[in-house]
């Protein structure tokens, strides 16, 4: 029996009811203005631009805006490919916020928009979206920034970009999935090396390790590659894309339980006295998480927290 | 206590009763004539030669012949190493059939010889065989052809060979294990890249990614390497080979449940109207799955289904 | 809510009670004298030196000494990084003993100090220690030696070092975790290649495959790298290190059940008549596991057991 013959048997089983749906437009800006997007055919280009910070910090504003976008996309059928980029040339997403800045909304711990407590859950929701997700990274993606990147289906980077999980240096473990996603990408030994040292890895090395799909010398070269890739996937039927994502996730995605356990340990450890002292020292050295020598090269400077 | 001492305690536990068994011979050709094999010591060399097709299509004939061989091997103790090769220099195994050709047997959905419904199960049976299995790939292995290759214990390829899972372009997901085996070999991000684009990968790149064990410039160089490898393993005791396979499978093989779920989604999606239209377009562009520009470079040409 | 704010809520939850504890010193030598160690700050440097053998065999003496050390470390908070090295320049750890030599203690099968029956359990205990573990390999690490190395959190090697699991050639499967740890590091296909052939792999190739974290041309270069790495991790809080290890283990460590199954099959297969004959032949060719041509290049010489 061939597939064509099978059709006669089972065609009625799987009638796809595609709801009529308006395109997502950038005319409805995100609530906190940290995310803009524009749809080009079935490709939605999303831009992170938390410009109330110098380093594109992943805070409650951006988590809230991303939460709204992801929620909207859960039932969307007009978008087949999500492409995430950053408006900040040096910081794709710096990392989660260490202290609440003035003007940042204060969400309760059980609010899905609370970045400290629930980034892991929101990133997991991205893996459950029916469309393909791609992170296009130039600059730095550390902590929650790198965890966002690892939760995307695919990751491309310039060779000079930088990834890292510096949490260990501040006295706590990552909390948005790094201990679960990274060993699945680069193996237990190398994951422990980067997670226990907090060292940065360049995009070039990240490609060799399997941390990112591919790395490119020039951002323009990466854009050409990703543009072709996104337009190609956007040709293909929604059902094929959604099925492949769901099945690959069955085979290779962290479990919600393990992610939740990481989140619990993160909240506990980050609240301990030793970590609080290290956080305060970091705020001092970074001039309250401003752009500067420390944020530009966190991996190199972590030991300075112990001087 | 050393192993020698242990022997005194437990030697009686594991007496290996090896049934006297005739060698498999190629004198009993497979029912549909798509598979020939010859045994050289404990190495069984198997040749795929579905020569009623120009591109060595994986259809019900070859599935039936392979099913018979695998069933025969389940209780065989004369064979320690299986080496699979193709008689077609350009197509190791092109892919599963898209439409039933005249003369192809029509098996019911629940018949293990039905390729469309049960290739994933037959390939899983290969992972359960007590002997080592090796795929030696020159030419193209796509769809079910690549899924067969990934189900073997080891895979070697020429650098110019081509692998791919083009299903997404036809509107459905792979159905014989690709979404389960590929992320385990090359990681979630890269598996999604190849499964969502349907792009071909060369043997050279496949070696870098871990998709194949090793890639060689010349087929002759590959044959020399694999010949040495097979003869070496063939020296070793059956029990050691079978135990190692079973234990590594415990650690790293997809589950039957996940493979079955992929199979269900495949049958559903391939039967949907959108996929059926794309299948018909493919039959047109390939001149009913004949050798030609489309089958030679499926990855390049998939977007033409949408012109 | 920022991490700083969270502190006000949950600080009380996780008060770390650090027991006052003396440093481990090398002044208390291990019972059988096969392990020495010296503590430098929070780094414990451990040296394997089973000098009653020429090839640093992993026997009941070293297992017993390692068991004592690991047990002592389970509640230690002064050590944050364990670095394992070998006093033998050619054999990091040759492999498990094949026959009980005169003077080697004879422990019961259920004694944790019994190397043949319980190395897998002791190595698992190492993965559960709260501190980071690093193997620094120059020379050969085969069988239980390589399994010890794979159980450490990180592995570094010289490019000329050699790793291998020769068990298959002696008629049995590895018994201290190789079938579980190796496919997680290098994938199912490559793990089966090395486990079914018993071939050695160099440190250089091991780095390419992901078997070791990094490989270095010169041992001095490796020592400089590992020294920096260990001192860096030793700066960081115990809780962060322990949490990261536990979480990464959740994601990527073999299960105790699968390790136990490997152990059971190992005892059974190694006790079979065929394996016992091969063990005796190996004892003959190695002159009772002495340093010589066979032990130096086991991978090359395994087929000679069948001459």
């Amino acid at each position: 029996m061939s597939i064509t013959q099978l059709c006669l048997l089972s065609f009625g089983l799987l009638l796809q009811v595609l709801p009529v749906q308006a395109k997502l437009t950038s005319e409805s800006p995100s609530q906190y203005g940290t995310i803009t997007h524009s749809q080009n055919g079935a490709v939605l280009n999303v831009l992170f631009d938390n410009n109330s910070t110098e380093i594109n910090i992943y805070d409650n504003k951006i988590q809230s805006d991303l939460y709204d976008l992801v929620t909207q996309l859960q039932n969307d059928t007009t978008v087949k490919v999500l492409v995430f980029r950053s408006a900040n040339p040096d910081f794709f997403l710096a990392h989660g916020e260490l202290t609440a800045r003035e003007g940042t909304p204060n969400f309760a711990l059980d609010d899905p928009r609370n970045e400290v407590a629930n980034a892991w859950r929101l990133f997991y929701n991205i893996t459950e979206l029916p469309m393909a997700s791609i992170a296009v990274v130039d600059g730095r993606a550390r902590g929650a920034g790198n965890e966002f990147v690892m939760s995307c289906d695919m990751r491309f980077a310039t060779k000079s970009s930088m990834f890292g999980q510096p949490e260990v240096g501040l006295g706590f473990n990552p909390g948005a999935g790094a201990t679960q996603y990274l060993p699945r990408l680069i193996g237990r030994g190398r994951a422990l090396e980067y997670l226990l040292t907090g060292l940065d890895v360049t995009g070039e090395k990240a490609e060799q390790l399997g941390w990112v799909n591919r790395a490119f010398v020039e951002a323009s070269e990466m854009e050409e590659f990703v543009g072709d890739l996104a337009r190609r996937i956007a040709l293909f039927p929604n059902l094929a894309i959604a099925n492949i994502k769901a099945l690959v996730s069955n085979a290779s995605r962290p479990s919600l339980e393990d992610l939740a356990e990481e989140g619990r340990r993160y909240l506990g450890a980050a609240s301990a006295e030793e970590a609080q002292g290290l956080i305060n020292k970091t705020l001092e050295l970074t001039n309250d998480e401003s752009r500067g020598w420390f944020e530009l090269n966190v991996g190199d400077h972590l030991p300075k927290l112990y001087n």
Side-chain angles (χ1 to χ4, degrees), chain A:
Chain A
M1 171 167 307
S2 72
I3 290 176
T4 310
Q5 290 171 303
L6 262 176
C7 171
L8 303 175
L9 287 180
S10 58
F11 174 63
L13 293 176
L14 212 109
L15 191 65
Q16 288 298 102
V17 184
L18 302 189
V20 178
Q21 189 175 10
K23 279 189 177 185
L24 291 167
T25 65
S26 54
E27 292 159 30
S28 52
S30 65
Q31 182 176 2
Y32 295 102
T34 66
I35 290 180
T36 58
H37 52 73
S38 65
Q39 190 166 346
N40 187 353
V43 178
L44 187 74
N45 292 291
V46 181
L47 197 67
F48 290 124
D49 189 13
N50 194 352
N51 55 28
S52 67
T53 77
E54 297 179 355
I55 58 172
N56 226 6
I57 275 194
Y58 191 85
D59 61 7
N60 279 354
K61 284 186 186 174
I62 206 165
Q63 163 106 354
S64 176
D65 285 343
L66 184 60
Y67 176 80
D68 291 344
L69 176 66
V70 169
T71 303
Q72 197 178 351
L73 287 168
Q74 280 163 345
N75 296 304
D76 180 279
T77 56
T78 70
V79 175
K80 297 183 185 178
V81 186
L82 278 169
V83 184
F84 293 99
R85 295 182 183 83
S86 171
N88 186 317
D90 295 321
F91 294 90
F92 177 82
L93 287 171
H95 51 70
E97 64 176 354
L98 288 174
T99 188
R101 286 160 296 109
E102 182 135 340
T104 308
N106 189 344
F107 299 124
L109 270 184
D110 61 355
D111 190 314
R113 298 168 299 173
N114 184 307
E115 175 269 321
V116 168
N118 299 311
W120 64 270
R121 191 63 180 84
L122 176 55
F123 295 168
Y124 185 87
N125 290 350
I126 294 173
T127 71
E128 289 203 306
L129 289 175
M131 60 285 290
S133 54
I134 302 174
V136 181
V137 183
D138 198 12
R140 291 150 188 85
R142 297 196 187 97
N146 178 53
E147 288 163 306
F148 167 82
V149 167
M150 292 197 295
S151 305
C152 286
D153 296 335
M154 293 165 263
R155 297 148 279 294
F156 301 95
T158 53
K159 293 199 175 187
S160 60
S161 62
M162 290 167 82
F163 300 89
Q165 296 288 151
E167 289 87 342
V168 68
L170 280 75
F172 47 94
N173 56 276
T179 67
Q180 303 305 301
Y181 289 94
L182 195 54
R184 285 177 166 83
L185 287 172
I186 69 171
R188 183 169 171 267
R190 286 168 172 162
L192 281 166
E193 181 181 335
Y194 287 100
L195 294 172
L196 288 173
T197 62
L199 282 164
D200 293 323
V201 69
T202 62
E204 182 171 13
K205 177 87 176 173
E207 180 192 33
Q208 289 164 21
L209 300 176
W211 192 321
V212 301
N213 286 46
R214 296 171 192 257
F216 302 85
V217 176
E218 300 289 344
S220 58
E221 189 191 348
M222 172 166 68
E223 284 297 341
E224 193 180 328
F225 180 90
V226 172
D228 288 348
L229 188 76
R231 279 186 297 274
R232 180 181 172 100
I233 297 175
L235 289 174
F236 302 150
N238 296 64
L239 180 61
I241 296 168
N243 274 359
I244 289 170
K245 277 200 59 165
L247 292 161
V248 170
S249 288
N250 273 1
S252 60
R253 184 178 49 186
S255 73
L256 265 181
E257 295 68 32
D258 286 345
L259 291 167
E261 170 67 10
E262 191 202 72
R264 276 190 295 272
R265 287 189 185 235
Y266 162 72
L267 291 180
S271 306
E273 192 178 7
E274 193 165 14
Q276 287 293 316
L278 290 161
I279 289 170
N280 287 332
K281 187 81 184 279
T282 306
L283 292 172
E284 192 186 304
L285 293 183
T286 59
N287 193 19
D288 284 336
E289 307 184 75
S290 299
R291 181 190 164 93
W293 60 275
F294 195 98
E295 290 284 2
L296 286 167
N297 292 292
V298 172
D300 289 350
H301 299 309
L302 271 184
K304 296 197 171 64
L305 295 174
Y306 297 83
N307 288 347

